[in-house]
Amino acid sequence: DEMAQIREFIEIAGEYGLAYEYINCALERHPYKISGKAAIKLLEVGLLMGFKSGRENDKRFDRR
């Protein structure tokens, strides 16, 4: 269900930032295991696209 929701954010709504944040939250909540390479790619996407989370502890990375 979560993967379908993420796909909907990307393919139908074009909400890449929302999909990125949803992926990060899912990784924190559930015991998914991803490779180190995938983790680095996810980080690179976030940095290149300027995606941020709305969490208080991520505020220092917000460029808005």
Side-chain angles (χ1 to χ4, degrees):
D1 287 340
E2 289 187 0
M3 293 302 132
Q5 183 72 40
I6 291 168
R7 182 173 290 117
E8 189 175 306
F9 287 146
I10 294 170
E11 293 176 357
I12 296 173
E15 290 287 344
Y16 300 101
L18 187 56
Y20 179 81
E21 191 165 339
Y22 200 88
I23 290 168
N24 284 330
C25 290
L27 287 170
E28 290 176 353
R29 278 194 319 252
H30 302 291
Y32 293 115
K33 291 186 180 188
I34 61 173
S35 68
K37 185 176 182 177
I40 296 299
K41 292 295 182 186
L42 187 60
L43 178 61
E44 287 175 343
V45 166
L47 291 172
L48 290 171
M49 304 285 295
F51 294 149
K52 304 136 200 98
S53 77
R55 298 183 318 178
E56 188 63 33
N57 60 342
D58 291 337
K59 199 170 207 156
R60 64 184 175 178
F61 302 112
D62 195 343
R63 293 183 274 158
R64 290 178 277 184

